[in-house]
Amino acid sequence: MKENILIVDDDKSICEILEFNLKSEGYAVEIAYSAEEALKKISPTTQLILLDVMMQGMSGYKMLETIRTKGVRTPVIFLTAKDTENDMLTGFSVGADDYISKPFSIKEIVARIKAVVKRVANVADPVQKDIIVFNDLIIDTENQEVSIKNEIISLTKTEFEVLKKLAENPNRIFSRDAIMESVWGNEVYVSERTVDVHIARLRKKLGDYGSVISNRLGFGYKFDTKNI
């Protein structure tokens, strides 16, 4: 599977250069032109973030501080024109894994990415594996808790398992049969209607985030990050 890199920069020309070269190196690439957009795109499949500092709206420093506070341990490399020692120290203090100053060398970026990905892969991080974060929606799979804006949402075990199944595979459609097999197992008889009922309850409990579970007629359900 290709490693998935999220580029966050409000300079479209830089995004295009990075996207072209990283895809040439075999990476899958997503782009966000602001920190706010990036917060909606970060998912369990995001394996590294290339992050600018000075952007319209939320800064890169603030974005990284925000996701680290939520428990997201996805490695982050700052790629920025802010190149003083204090800038770099600020970057590392909010949780960066590396810091590269602009103008940059593509070869250096690729080498740094490979080094960070390799280093992170060699370090066990149970916290990252147990927490799924989508903006203000946090799914703690170890403690089986879901919170929105720091408020715990009361879900039944089945509702939690349905949400976890979908959220662990964002934007992938699961048929009702696949959800039934994963959540209820083969030994318990349930109908497709049972899945629909649990999804309806789940959406209602998720409130403003309810629309994140979308239905494609005739195919099934998915955790749709476009609706976050």
Side-chain angles (χ1 to χ4, degrees):
M1 179 182 291
K2 293 181 179 179
E3 287 158 333
N4 190 356
I5 295 177
L6 175 61
I7 300 169
V8 188
D9 198 313
D10 58 1
D11 187 325
K12 293 187 177 181
S13 60
I14 287 179
C15 290
E16 288 175 0
I17 292 170
L18 289 170
E19 181 182 26
F20 174 80
N21 285 280
L22 291 177
K23 284 185 174 178
S24 298
E25 291 288 333
Y27 295 102
V29 175
E30 281 190 288
I31 293 175
Y33 296 113
S34 69
E36 290 82 356
E37 183 183 357
L39 289 173
K40 296 179 180 180
K41 289 191 171 183
I42 296 172
S43 76
T45 64
T46 305
Q47 291 172 288
L48 187 138
I49 301 170
L50 277 178
L51 179 59
D52 189 18
V53 173
M54 295 182 293
M55 295 180 285
Q56 293 290 327
M58 183 184 291
S59 72
Y61 291 150
K62 183 62 179 177
M63 175 188 149
L64 179 52
E65 190 176 30
T66 299
I67 65 174
R68 291 290 188 252
T69 300
K70 293 178 178 179
V72 176
R73 294 289 174 262
T74 304
V76 172
I77 299 176
F78 275 119
L79 186 59
T80 173
K82 293 178 73 66
D83 58 357
T84 68
E85 184 179 51
N86 281 338
D87 293 331
M88 189 178 298
L89 290 174
T90 300
F92 284 118
S93 72
V94 294
D97 295 86
D98 205 344
Y99 198 102
I100 302 173
S101 300
K102 296 176 181 176
F104 55 81
S105 153
I106 288 294
K107 288 184 179 179
E108 180 186 7
I109 289 177
V110 172
R112 297 276 193 103
I113 289 173
K114 288 180 178 178
V116 169
V117 169
K118 183 178 180 180
R119 185 170 73 236
V120 172
N122 290 332
V123 177
D125 190 350
V127 174
Q128 169 67 11
K129 291 178 182 176
D130 294 338
I131 296 179
I132 302 171
V133 178
F134 293 97
N135 213 352
D136 292 319
L137 172 64
I138 299 177
I139 305 167
D140 184 337
T141 61
E142 180 178 9
N143 296 309
Q144 299 191 330
E145 285 185 347
V146 174
S147 64
I148 297 176
K149 296 181 179 177
N150 299 319
E151 290 191 10
I152 299 295
I153 307 300
S154 179
L155 300 182
T156 65
K157 184 177 188 327
T158 301
E159 290 164 352
F160 179 84
E161 292 299 331
V162 171
L163 178 62
K164 176 171 171 281
K165 174 68 178 177
L166 298 176
E168 285 180 333
N169 302 274
N171 301 316
R172 175 181 166 186
I173 294 178
F174 288 92
S175 67
R176 290 172 176 78
D177 285 339
I179 294 172
M180 286 190 291
E181 182 178 347
S182 175
V183 175
W184 282 271
N186 293 322
E187 296 182 359
V188 178
Y189 176 77
V190 293
S191 67
E192 292 188 348
R193 176 60 181 158
T194 304
V195 176
D196 294 337
V197 169
H198 280 81
I199 292 282
R201 289 176 180 167
L202 188 52
R203 283 171 167 162
K204 186 176 181 180
K205 290 183 178 181
L206 292 177
D208 291 342
Y209 278 85
S211 61
V212 78
I213 300 176
S214 66
N215 172 239
R216 186 175 175 189
L217 192 61
F219 290 89
Y221 292 100
K222 70 175 180 178
F223 190 99
D224 193 340
T225 57
K226 292 179 182 176
N227 294 336
I228 294 177

